[in-house]
Amino acid sequence: MLLIERNSFEEKTYIRTQMIQRRNSLPERHRQTWSEAACAKAKVLLEKRSASAFMAYVSFRSELNLAELIEWGWQTGRDVIVPRCDAADHSMTLHYLRSWEELMPGAYGIMEPNPAVTLPIYNGFAPDVVFVPGLAFDRKGGRLGYGGGYYDRFAAEQLQLGEAATRTLWLGAAYEAQLVERVPREAHDVQMHGLITEQDIYMA
Ligand SMILES: Nc1nc2c(c(=O)[nH]1)N(C=O)[C@@H](CNc1ccc(C(=O)N[C@@H](CCC(=O)O)C(=O)O)cc1)CN2
Ligand SMILES: Nc1ncnc2c1ncn2[C@@H]1O[C@H](COP(=O)(O)OP(=O)(O)OP(=O)(O)O)[C@@H](O)[C@H]1O
């Protein structure tokens, strides 16, 4: 028998399919409760770090929902930053979001800041904390996304900012069910400092 070791690309594709299924099968009522629990932990963390600007994602499909965290950010006067993706070059631009009305459907049907009514953040600004969506995470900072490389490119850009960006905390945000033993890692993959779930904050 010929034994062929899967390369990272095939392995990632395989795990993506598995993890999409697993996340979709989490009951809606649990997803809601778990999302709220994760948001509560995120608030404590942002308070502890005196974070005044954080980046979040607007959830789509069955992702962990950060809506409560975003609203709390508005209520407490924090800057809430949300990305807009450009499907042409797989880059993201960051915008300040002040209400749900400022969103519009963007690439992939994800709700994104409407560029006509939101301010883009100036080049060179680094949020205190970046909450990163994903399909699977491991405890060593490994992350697997949809395969667009959006957050990898964004992280590479942020790295070029130098000093300002070195203080940014990168946290995966996901259900405990998305935590796996090991995510295949390639050189370009952005490394998480930790993972926030409904149960805990795991620092890598
Ligand atoms: N809420 C949220 N926003 C996000 C992300 C995310 O994971 N969650 N992204 C995180 O990076 C970026 C969007 N990345 C995405 C990349 C591919 C697909 C997607 O649907 N791909 C198809 C297959 C290929 C295609 O049609 O182009 C699929 O999965 O069916 C969706 C989002 C930026 N914004
Ligand atoms: N800094 C970068 N510059 C150019 N291309 C990159 C960079 N980072 C990643 N890529 C490319 O993006 C593609 C997708 O990468 P990968 O499979 O790791 O995506 P992902 O992290 O799962 O996706 P996403 O961040 O969109 O959820 C790869 O082909 C990779 O070569």
Side-chain angles (χ1 to χ4, degrees), residues 20 57-61 63 83 85 92 108 110 112 133-134 143 145-151:
I20 287 172
Y57 59 87
V58 178
S59 76
F60 84 134
R61 300 179 184 160
E63 283 176 338
C85 45
M92 297 200 294
Y108 314 105
I110 302 174
E112 295 180 340
R143 164 189 179 263
Y146 278 103
Y150 282 96
Y151 278 86

Side-chain angles (χ1 to χ4, degrees), residues 12 16 143-153 156 188-189:
K12 279 183 165 182
R16 270 184 195 113
R143 164 189 179 263
L144 181 74
Y146 278 103
Y150 282 96
Y151 278 86
D152 299 329
R153 282 185 185 77
H188 64 253
D189 286 330

Side-chain angles (χ1 to χ4, degrees), residues 99-116:
S99 82
W100 300 119
E101 276 81 61
E102 292 181 340
L103 292 175
M104 62 179 278
Y108 314 105
I110 302 174
M111 294 301 281
E112 295 180 340
N114 177 349

Side-chain angles (χ1 to χ4, degrees), residues 3-63:
L3 196 68
I4 301 172
E5 204 184 307
R6 274 201 213 99
N7 64 32
S8 262
F9 180 77
E10 288 173 351
E11 202 183 345
K12 279 183 165 182
T13 307
Y14 176 77
I15 302 176
R16 270 184 195 113
T17 312
Q18 301 285 309
M19 296 309 288
I20 287 172
Q21 269 181 22
R22 184 184 292 185
R23 201 181 64 193
N24 285 341
S25 71
L26 302 173
E28 164 70 21
R29 64 180 195 288
H30 287 160
R31 292 206 304 257
Q32 253 181 47
T33 317
W34 294 337
S35 292
E36 284 163 22
C39 284
K41 292 187 194 304
K43 292 174 197 172
V44 173
L45 175 128
L46 289 171
E47 261 171 354
K48 254 205 275 194
R49 296 180 67 95
S50 306
S52 61
F54 66 91
M55 176 170 160
Y57 59 87
V58 178
S59 76
F60 84 134
R61 300 179 184 160
S62 52
E63 283 176 338

Side-chain angles (χ1 to χ4, degrees), residues 62-135:
S62 52
E63 283 176 338
L64 183 89
N65 192 342
L66 297 181
E68 260 212 11
L69 181 70
I70 291 173
E71 290 180 2
W72 173 83
W74 294 333
Q75 287 154 12
T76 57
R78 288 174 165 82
D79 286 331
V80 179
I81 296 156
V82 170
R84 240 187 92 69
C85 45
D86 183 343
D89 64 358
H90 287 210
S91 68
M92 297 200 294
T93 51
L94 311 192
H95 293 250
Y96 293 106
L97 191 76
R98 292 159 300 183
S99 82
W100 300 119
E101 276 81 61
E102 292 181 340
L103 292 175
M104 62 179 278
Y108 314 105
I110 302 174
M111 294 301 281
E112 295 180 340
N114 177 349
V117 298
T118 54
L119 279 179
I121 72 166
Y122 67 90
N123 261 342
F125 180 80
D128 297 310
V129 180
V130 176
F131 294 98
V132 184
L135 291 167

